[in-house]
């Protein structure tokens, strides 16, 4: 195997939550495999992980010279919006497009336009799930694509951590940027019903976003301050302790392709209770690590929380087994295989 130099590309770094985690994990894992890995962006609002190169990109230079001006063997963009600059001129090296998601109509239209114009200049597309592949095909037509699920650092997220944030039983956890389509309010609104059977139940919501204030208002209006905690954005060290402190990971989201927190939770041995979204069901079917509940149905949500809690040992064992098959090293070796192929 020939060691390669790889440039991960986003418009702005850090990118959105899941993108950044995947990119950082890839850079660390590829470096451990002996490759040179760097992060390129038009602007940086934070620093890459220790030991990972930072490359400030110039839009005009890319439009004039293309990727030939980038001294890397492989260019690995993670957003459709950067394709215009990378592929305006015909590339002289492999372009591996990593398709994570399009969370709104603007992103979907951008995906359609960029792929319609530039798809033939992309060497290979990596989709983070079968749902992502279906979505890409719907908007861009047939592509030279493969599915590689996100990986998780099982040396960092694991079941032998302390649980300093345990505040209830069952303890529920949701981790995400707080946007409307995440439907976090449905988790909060289900708490009064859940508390009838589990008076000590507690929900922790990790993350920030445009819905933060609205969600706080719902909590206050329902007098759930003792049973629902909103932490805001936290660092990774605290995050893994939050996973360790919960009994299960929950999500009512309506739009995901391969949510990173589900993998981090499973690596900590935590079962899942997820809305019956295509990508959620894909994870549940593959892992056997939890149950799905019907959209906008608090009774079904509470029922599935109850069933998973009662059988949490079996679900936990399945979660750990699945996470091990997607640990960081295996994930990066799958990406490396794509690099070798092209």
């Amino acid at each position: 195997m020939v060691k390669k130099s790889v440039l991960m590309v986003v418009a702005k770094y850090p990118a959105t939550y899941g993108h950044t985690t995947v990119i950082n994990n890839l850079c660390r894992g590829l470096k451990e495999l002996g490759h040179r890995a760097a992060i390129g962006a038009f602007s940086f609002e934070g620093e890459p992980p220790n030991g990972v190169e930072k490359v400030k990109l110039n839009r005009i230079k890319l439009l004039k010279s293309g990727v030939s001006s980038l001294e890397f063997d492989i260019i690995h963009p993670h957003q459709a919006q950067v394709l215009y600059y990378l592929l305006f001129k015909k590339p002289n090296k492999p372009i591996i497009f990593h398709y994570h998601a399009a969370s709104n109509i603007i992103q979907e239209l951008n995906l359609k336009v960029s792929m319609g114009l530039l798809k033939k200049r992309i060497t290979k597309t990596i989709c983070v799930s079968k749902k992502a592949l279906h979505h890409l095909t719907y908007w861009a037509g047939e592509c030279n694509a493969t599915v590689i699920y996100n990986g998780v650092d099982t040396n960092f997220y694991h079941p032998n951590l302390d649980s300093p944030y345990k505040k209830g039983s069952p303890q529920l956890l949701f981790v995400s940027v707080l946007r409307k389509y995440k439907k976090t309010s449905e988790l909060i609104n289900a708490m009064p019903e859940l508390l009838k059977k589990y008076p000590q139940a507690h929900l922790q919501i990790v993350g920030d976003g445009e819905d933060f204030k609205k969600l706080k208002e719902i909590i206050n209006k329902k007098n759930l301050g003792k049973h629902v905690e909103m932490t805001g954005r936290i660092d990774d060290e605290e995050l893994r302790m939050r996973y360790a402190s919960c009994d299960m990971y929950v999500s009512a989201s309506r739009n995901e392709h391969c949510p990173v927190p589900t993998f981090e939770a499973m690596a900590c041995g935590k079962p899942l209770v997820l809305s019956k979204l295509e990508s959620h069901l894909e994870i549940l079917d593959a892992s056997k690590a939890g149950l799905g509940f019907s959209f906008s149905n608090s009774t079904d949500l509470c029922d599935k929380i109850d069933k998973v809690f009662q059988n949490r040992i079996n679900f936990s064992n399945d979660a750990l087994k699945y996470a091990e098959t997607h640990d960081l090293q295996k994930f990066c070796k799958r990406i490396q295989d794509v690099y070798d192929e092209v």
Side-chain angles (χ1 to χ4, degrees):
M1 180 199 67
V2 178
K3 303 301 181 183
K4 298 177 175 64
S5 57
V6 182
L7 181 66
M8 307 290 167
V9 180
V10 289
K12 180 178 70 175
Y13 181 89
T16 55
Y17 286 60
H19 287 55
T20 302
T21 300
V22 173
I23 291 166
N24 289 348
N25 281 344
L26 269 175
C27 286
R28 286 192 291 255
L30 289 170
K31 280 176 63 64
E32 289 178 4
L33 291 173
H35 302 286
R36 174 190 170 206
I39 296 172
F42 299 118
S43 64
F44 285 85
E45 295 183 358
E47 294 299 315
N50 289 336
V52 175
E53 295 176 58
K54 169 182 169 182
V55 179
K56 182 74 179 293
L57 301 177
N58 183 288
R59 289 180 174 87
I60 295 175
K61 186 175 181 180
L62 282 172
L63 290 173
K64 287 182 176 180
S65 304
V67 295
S68 62
S69 63
L70 302 174
E71 296 180 355
F72 291 85
D73 299 321
I74 291 174
I75 309 301
H76 192 149
H78 290 258
Q79 295 171 329
Q81 62 179 301
V82 301
L83 296 178
Y84 301 106
Y85 301 97
L86 297 173
L87 300 177
F88 183 75
K89 294 185 74 72
K90 188 175 181 179
N92 64 341
K93 59 190 68 177
I95 306 295
I96 309 297
F97 175 43
H98 208 126
Y99 179 56
H100 296 266
S103 60
N104 56 52
I105 189 63
I106 294 175
Q107 291 181 5
E108 288 174 336
L109 290 174
N110 189 46
L111 176 68
K112 183 176 182 178
V113 172
S114 63
M115 293 297 283
L117 293 172
L118 304 166
K119 180 171 64 175
K120 292 182 179 179
R121 294 186 174 184
I122 296 171
T123 313
K124 189 88 172 182
T125 297
I126 295 171
C127 295
V128 296
S129 65
K130 293 177 183 176
K131 183 201 173 181
L133 177 58
H134 298 159
H135 195 262
L136 178 70
T137 303
Y138 176 80
W139 284 98
E142 291 298 323
C143 302
N144 180 18
T146 188
V147 173
I148 299 179
Y149 294 98
N150 291 327
V152 59
D153 185 350
T154 53
N155 290 321
F156 188 76
Y157 297 102
H158 58 81
N160 300 316
L161 297 168
D162 293 333
S163 51
Y165 297 102
K166 182 75 170 176
K167 296 183 179 180
S169 180
Q171 177 80 52
L172 315 177
L173 179 67
F174 176 58
V175 179
S176 179
V177 59
L178 301 177
R179 294 175 176 147
K180 185 176 180 180
Y181 68 84
K182 298 290 185 175
K183 299 296 181 182
T184 314
S185 60
E186 292 187 7
L187 302 177
I188 298 170
N189 289 331
M191 288 301 291
E193 185 171 346
L194 184 65
L195 288 166
K196 293 176 183 177
K197 180 162 187 177
Y198 293 103
Q200 301 303 314
H202 193 269
L203 168 65
Q204 294 177 352
I205 300 168
V206 173
D208 204 351
E210 56 261 36
D211 268 10
F212 189 91
K213 183 178 179 181
K214 174 186 172 183
L215 296 171
K216 288 283 284 186
E217 290 172 353
I218 295 173
I219 294 167
N220 292 333
K221 184 177 180 180
K222 292 182 175 290
N223 295 315
L224 289 170
K226 292 182 179 180
H227 297 282
V228 182
E229 176 188 6
M230 296 187 66
T231 70
R233 193 161 189 175
I234 60 178
D235 62 29
D236 288 346
E237 184 61 38
E238 180 178 339
L239 176 60
R240 69 175 187 157
M241 296 303 179
R242 294 278 179 176
Y243 284 122
S245 301
C246 78
D247 292 304
M248 68 189 75
Y249 182 82
V250 295
S251 173
S253 182
R254 298 295 196 276
N255 189 359
E256 306 286 348
H257 281 350
C258 188
V260 170
T262 58
F263 287 76
E264 293 171 343
M266 286 189 286
C268 293
K270 304 304 176 178
L272 310 174
V273 175
L274 309 174
S275 61
K276 289 183 177 179
L277 187 67
E278 181 184 349
S279 58
H280 282 165
L281 294 177
E282 193 175 331
I283 292 169
L284 292 172
D285 288 344
S287 67
K288 312 301 180 189
L291 298 173
F293 65 91
S294 301
F295 293 136
S296 303
N297 189 328
S298 60
T299 299
D300 192 33
L301 169 56
C302 292
D303 179 61
K304 297 304 165 53
I305 289 172
D306 179 36
K307 288 179 178 177
V308 168
F309 189 57
Q310 295 300 325
N311 295 280
R312 59 190 179 278
I313 294 176
N314 290 334
F315 284 122
S316 175
N317 289 335
D318 287 334
L320 286 169
K321 289 176 185 176
Y322 186 75
E324 288 169 3
T325 67
H326 294 278
D327 70 23
L328 185 56
Q329 186 178 56
K330 293 183 179 71
F331 171 54
C332 289
K333 283 184 176 179
R334 291 175 184 127
I335 300 295
Q336 177 182 264
D337 288 343
V338 173
Y339 294 163
D340 290 340
E341 175 190 331
V342 301

